[in-house]
């Protein structure tokens, strides 16, 4: 992803730029805040024009100052000093106003783009599903947090500097034509009017061509470095998130080696970018060092010959520098262009990956088939013609049919690979296979995984998740904790802690069960969410579920025996030696 060089603009490159503009800029420009955005943009343009106007004014002030010095006139020097004070105050005011509005637009655009990506990434299970997409989408969190910041900041900064350079170019060409005069061509009768303009274009043209050639590898090296930096951050964050099991298994040495390997990639990316920078930085340094001297040297013969005053000479030199700097915009901003381009490419790739998920859903790359999960008006769960496959294509379950009426209690047991795959397929998280799963319409449905997710925050917020903490009363929260057998946590409802670390696995699973008692869904799918309980505790939990949620449909994946009498049906999934699996139903058995 990302171009390796800066080739000439082609039809494909123009098409790519237009697509990126359509994805990142046009929707923001047409968003609900469009009038504020357009007004801020108009102010930015006007203030940029004011900056150019001040630059022109300082050019003529510079000419009059040196003329006053050449004439040794104290009165003219005093007048120019007062003029400079006015220019100084106006420059500070215009620069401050421009900076304030520019940073508002940068933050507003970043906020809008971040919101758009988060809405897509955290909807329809894309957060999970993107991990199994075959597209280039490494570290979507880093792209949203870092690449969006780089793209919005630099795109607006580069757009402002480009507009400023174009306005300077148009303005100082006229000034340089006016002040540089006509230079004779040695040995001929010809004279070149405004010769310094031609020299400025030659100087900037040679600098631009050489700069682009020397900076050709920079885009690829910058893109590589950003990717490996993101991988390094992700690896460290992953080690931090799983610090407890890592420490218990004495896996620090393994994680340390992994971090060393990832940082070695960072080092290689850094060295690759360093090599890319060496040529362009060395050239830019020489180019910039020569720039203030070169115009004085080529205009000095006219000054010595009396065709120019000292003020005209200095104005011509300054105009030459301004004009050349404007023409050198691509070289001067090559590094920022590379970073901005790399970030934009990564953001667009993420946009397109999420779009592909929304358009195609879970599509099997080999056969084009997938498991369809739909919502119907029927008050029952229907699974028709379901074929479950592993990600590698191995058939796990073939031609599976299941109808579950509201209020039924079904125990699912058997091969763990089959039971967990079925659980994820019903949840819409398992794309591999084919068939249709029809869920009852509505959101009155809860999936309880083996280890519940406990977000950071107060215990009240954790227990209410994914609903708002203010939705439930203290009495309801206390009752849910009591039913789940963890009433000892009730005094800590308003404490904030990392509950996934401070609570044991059994307490975490009880907290997940407490959510059922609190939110009282109509349909519950449980995936071994009581496997840390002993048989007595599990029996008590099932009795409480029957008592508190008598009309709730329950599908429970459990490997424990002794609970059969709590269910209407038992579904056994077993795998044979053949690729297909066998599913059979057994009647509820008496308690062992």
């Amino acid at each position: 992803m990302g171009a390796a060089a800066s080739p000439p603009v082609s039809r494909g490159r123009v098409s790519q730029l237009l697509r990126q503009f359509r994805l990142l800029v046009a929707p923001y420009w047409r968003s609900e805040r469009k009038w504020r955005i357009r007004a801020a943009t108009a102010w930015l343009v006007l203030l940029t024009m004011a900056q150019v106007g001040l630059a022109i004014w300082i050019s003529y002030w510079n000419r009059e100052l040196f003329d006053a010095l050449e004439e040794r006139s104290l009165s003219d020097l005093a007048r120019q000093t007062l003029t400079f004070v006015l220019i100084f105050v106006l420059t500070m005011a215009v620069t401050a106003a421009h900076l304030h509005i520019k940073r508002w637009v940068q933050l507003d655009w970043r906020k809008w783009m971040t919101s758009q990506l988060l809405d897509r990434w955290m909807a329809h299970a894309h957060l999970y599903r993107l991990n199994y997409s075959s597209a280039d989408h490494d570290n979507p969190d880093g792209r949203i947090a870092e690449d969006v910041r780089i793209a919005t900041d630099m795109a607006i900064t580069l757009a402002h500097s480009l507009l400023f350079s174009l306005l300077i170019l148009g303005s100082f060409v006229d000034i340089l034509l006016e002040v540089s005069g006509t230079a004779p061509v040695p040995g001929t009768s010809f004279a070149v009017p405004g010769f310094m303009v031609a020299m400025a274009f030659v100087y900037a043209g040679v600098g631009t061509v050489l700069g682009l050639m020397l900076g050709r590898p920079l885009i690829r090296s910058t893109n590589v470095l950003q990717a490996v930096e993101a991988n390094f951050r992700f690896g460290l964050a992953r080690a931090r998130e799983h610090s407890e099991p890592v420490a218990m298994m004495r896996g620090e040495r393994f994680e340390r080696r992994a971090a060393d390997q990832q940082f070695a990639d960072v080092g290689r990316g850094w060295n690759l970018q360093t090599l890319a920078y060496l040529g362009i930085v060395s050239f830019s340094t020489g180019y910039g060092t020569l720039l203030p001297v070169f115009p004085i040297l080529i205009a000095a013969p006219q000054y010595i010959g009396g065709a120019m005053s000292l003020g005209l000479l200095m104005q011509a030199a300054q105009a030459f520098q301004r004009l050349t700097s404007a023409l050198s915009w691509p070289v001067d901003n090559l590094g920022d262009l590379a970073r901005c381009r790399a970030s934009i490419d990564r953001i667009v790739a993420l946009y397109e990956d999420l779009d592909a998920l929304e358009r195609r859903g879970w599509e099997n790359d080999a056969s084009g088939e997938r498991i369809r999960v739909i919502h119907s008006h029927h008050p029952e769960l229907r699974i028709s013609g379901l074929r479950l496959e592993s990600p590698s294509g191995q058939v796990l379950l073939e031609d599976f049919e299941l109808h579950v009426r509201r209020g039924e209690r079904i125990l699912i047991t058997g091969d763990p690979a089959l039971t967990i795959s079925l659980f994820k397929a019903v949840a819409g998280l398992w794309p591999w296979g084919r068939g249709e799963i029809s869920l009852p319409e509505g959101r009155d449905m809860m999936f309880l995984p083996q280890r519940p997710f406990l977000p950071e925050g107060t215990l009240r917020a954790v227990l209410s998740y994914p609903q708002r903490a203010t939705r439930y009363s203290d009495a309801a929260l206390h009752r849910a904790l009591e039913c789940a057998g963890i009433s000892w946590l009730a005094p800590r409802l308003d404490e904030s802690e990392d509950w996934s670390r401070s609570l044991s696995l059994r307490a975490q699973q009880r907290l997940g069960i407490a959510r059922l008692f609190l939110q009282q869904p109509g349909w519950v799918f449980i995936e071994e969410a009581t496997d840390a309980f002993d048989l007595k505790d599990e029996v008590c939990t099932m009795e409480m579920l029957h008592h508190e949620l008598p009309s709730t449909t329950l599908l429970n994946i459990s490997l424990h025996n002794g609970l059969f009498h709590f269910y209407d049906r038992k579904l056994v999934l077993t795998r044979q030696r053949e690729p297909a699996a066998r599913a059979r139903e057994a009647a509820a058995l008496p308690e062992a």
Side-chain angles (χ1 to χ4, degrees):
M1 186 186 70
S6 300
V9 177
S10 62
R11 183 176 301 177
R13 176 61 59 85
V14 172
S15 174
Q16 184 180 12
L17 292 175
L18 289 176
R19 186 180 77 255
Q20 292 175 343
F21 179 86
R22 186 177 68 252
L23 284 174
L24 305 183
V25 181
Y28 173 66
W29 186 257
R30 298 192 300 264
S31 67
E32 65 278 1
R33 301 190 298 274
K34 61 184 177 183
W35 295 117
R36 293 185 66 189
I37 297 165
R38 296 176 185 182
T41 305
W43 272 110
L44 284 178
V45 173
L46 291 174
L47 289 169
T48 302
M49 295 173 66
Q51 290 175 326
V52 174
L54 288 168
I56 296 171
W57 191 359
I58 202 73
S59 173
Y60 282 98
W61 174 86
N62 193 60
R63 168 180 169 178
E64 293 174 2
L65 173 66
F66 279 96
D67 283 342
L69 292 174
E70 187 177 32
E71 295 173 4
R72 294 177 171 81
S73 172
L74 289 176
S75 61
D76 288 345
L77 179 61
R79 185 170 63 254
Q80 295 308 316
T81 302
L82 293 175
T83 303
F84 178 77
V85 171
L86 178 60
I87 295 174
F88 178 76
V89 172
L90 289 175
T91 300
M92 287 197 303
V94 170
T95 302
H98 185 278
L99 178 65
H100 175 72
I101 297 175
K102 183 183 77 169
R103 287 182 65 83
W104 180 88
V105 175
Q106 287 172 326
L107 179 61
D108 191 69
W109 190 15
R110 180 186 178 186
K111 178 181 177 182
W112 178 87
M113 194 182 301
T114 300
S115 177
Q116 294 293 310
L117 284 170
L118 288 176
D119 284 345
R120 293 173 178 227
W121 188 44
M122 294 189 174
H124 309 299
H126 290 167
L127 180 70
Y128 172 83
R129 294 163 58 183
L130 196 62
N131 296 325
Y132 295 93
S133 172
S134 59
D136 181 11
H137 55 263
D138 60 301
N139 300 313
D141 52 329
R143 299 189 186 206
I144 295 173
E146 185 68 10
D147 287 311
V148 169
R149 180 188 65 81
I150 293 173
T152 52
D153 284 2
M154 288 192 171
I156 293 174
T157 299
L158 290 169
H160 163 251
S161 64
L162 178 59
L163 175 61
F164 182 82
S165 297
L166 291 174
L167 293 175
I168 287 289
L169 179 63
S171 303
F172 278 85
V173 162
D174 289 338
I175 294 175
L176 197 54
L177 282 172
E178 174 191 343
V179 301
S180 63
T182 301
V185 178
T188 68
S189 58
F190 294 103
V192 180
F195 75 101
M196 292 188 71
V197 174
M199 294 300 296
F201 274 90
V202 171
Y203 187 92
V206 172
T208 298
V209 171
L210 291 177
L212 290 176
M213 290 174 60
L214 293 170
R216 188 176 288 264
L218 195 56
I219 291 179
R220 173 182 291 173
S221 62
T222 300
N223 196 12
V224 169
L225 181 59
Q226 288 181 213
V228 295
E229 288 275 16
N231 291 336
F232 180 58
R233 290 193 303 269
F234 178 78
L236 295 179
R238 183 176 178 275
R240 175 180 57 81
E241 291 172 1
H242 299 85
S243 58
E244 182 177 336
V246 168
M248 285 184 176
M249 298 180 67
R250 301 296 187 266
E252 293 94 339
R253 187 174 300 177
F254 178 86
E255 296 300 324
R256 183 71 174 83
R257 287 197 301 269
D260 284 342
Q261 292 173 358
Q262 290 169 337
F263 192 79
D265 292 338
V266 173
R268 284 188 288 271
W270 181 272
N271 292 332
L272 184 65
Q273 191 186 54
T274 299
L275 291 175
Y277 266 125
L278 281 177
I280 188 65
V281 169
S282 300
F283 171 75
S284 298
T285 301
Y287 181 87
T289 303
L290 181 60
L291 181 57
V293 179
F294 184 74
I296 295 178
L297 293 177
I298 62 175
Q302 286 186 300
Y303 172 70
I304 294 172
M308 271 189 179
S309 66
L310 180 60
L312 278 176
L313 174 64
M314 300 311 295
Q315 185 182 22
Q318 187 187 62
F320 184 94
Q321 293 179 49
R322 289 280 192 177
L323 182 58
T324 306
S325 297
L327 292 169
S328 303
W329 182 88
V331 175
D332 293 339
N333 294 279
L334 190 62
D336 289 343
L337 283 168
R339 291 185 65 201
C340 184
R341 173 64 188 277
S343 291
I344 288 175
D345 283 346
R346 287 166 61 81
I347 295 169
V348 169
L350 181 58
Y351 259 112
E352 292 176 343
D353 292 346
L354 292 172
D355 281 342
L357 284 179
E358 290 178 358
R359 288 194 307 269
R360 298 192 301 269
W362 288 92
E363 184 171 350
N364 186 304
D365 295 333
S367 64
E369 297 174 340
R370 62 185 177 88
I371 298 173
R372 296 179 62 242
V373 180
I374 63 173
H375 291 266
S376 71
H377 296 291
H378 299 287
E380 60 183 20
L381 167 68
R382 295 182 179 181
I383 300 178
S384 305
L386 180 64
R387 173 191 176 107
L388 288 177
E389 299 176 0
S390 68
S392 62
Q394 181 185 11
V395 178
L396 304 176
L397 189 64
E398 186 77 77
D399 296 327
F400 179 66
E401 304 281 337
L402 179 66
H403 289 185
V404 181
R405 296 182 303 275
R406 187 175 180 95
E408 274 195 287
R409 307 292 173 99
I410 298 179
L411 175 65
I412 302 175
T413 186
D415 189 292
L418 297 181
T419 56
I420 294 175
S421 299
L422 179 62
F423 176 84
K424 292 182 178 181
V426 175
L429 302 180
W430 193 269
W432 299 284
R434 64 169 180 260
E436 182 176 282
I437 300 175
S438 176
L439 302 177
E441 193 171 23
R443 300 184 181 272
D444 190 23
M445 186 175 297
M446 181 178 290
F447 292 86
L448 193 62
Q450 185 178 33
R451 187 160 192 160
F453 174 63
L454 307 181
E456 293 184 2
T458 64
L459 183 62
R460 182 188 304 274
V462 170
L463 188 55
S464 304
Y465 184 86
Q467 308 297 333
R468 291 184 180 274
T470 55
R471 180 171 180 174
Y472 303 103
S473 65
D474 286 358
L477 294 168
H478 289 175
R479 176 61 179 168
L481 292 173
E482 182 182 356
C483 292
I486 47 176
S487 57
W488 52 273
L489 283 174
R492 306 179 64 186
L493 279 176
D494 293 312
E495 292 184 20
S496 292
E497 197 170 332
D498 188 351
W499 302 101
S500 62
R501 297 178 186 272
S502 62
L503 296 179
S504 65
L505 176 58
R506 180 177 298 187
Q508 291 181 45
Q509 289 189 337
R510 286 188 179 277
L511 198 55
I513 296 293
R515 285 175 178 162
L516 300 181
F517 294 120
L518 178 65
Q519 301 179 30
Q520 298 190 348
W523 291 75
V524 175
F525 301 82
I526 300 178
E527 176 208 350
E528 300 180 6
T530 57
D531 63 347
F533 295 8
D534 55 32
L535 181 59
K536 180 180 177 181
D537 288 341
E538 196 165 12
V539 168
C540 290
T541 299
M542 293 304 303
E543 289 176 346
M544 190 62 69
L545 284 172
H546 274 266
H547 181 268
E548 296 292 321
L549 306 174
S551 60
T552 295
T553 307
L554 177 64
L555 290 90
N556 186 13
I557 297 173
S558 178
L559 304 180
H560 291 175
N561 295 320
L563 302 175
F564 304 131
H565 63 284
F566 288 108
Y567 300 94
D568 302 313
R569 285 189 282 167
K570 177 183 175 184
L571 184 64
V572 181
L573 301 179
T574 58
R575 203 185 326 197
Q576 300 176 350
R577 292 183 180 180
E578 300 91 300
R582 178 174 57 194
R584 64 182 177 85
E585 288 193 39
L589 302 177
E591 183 177 0

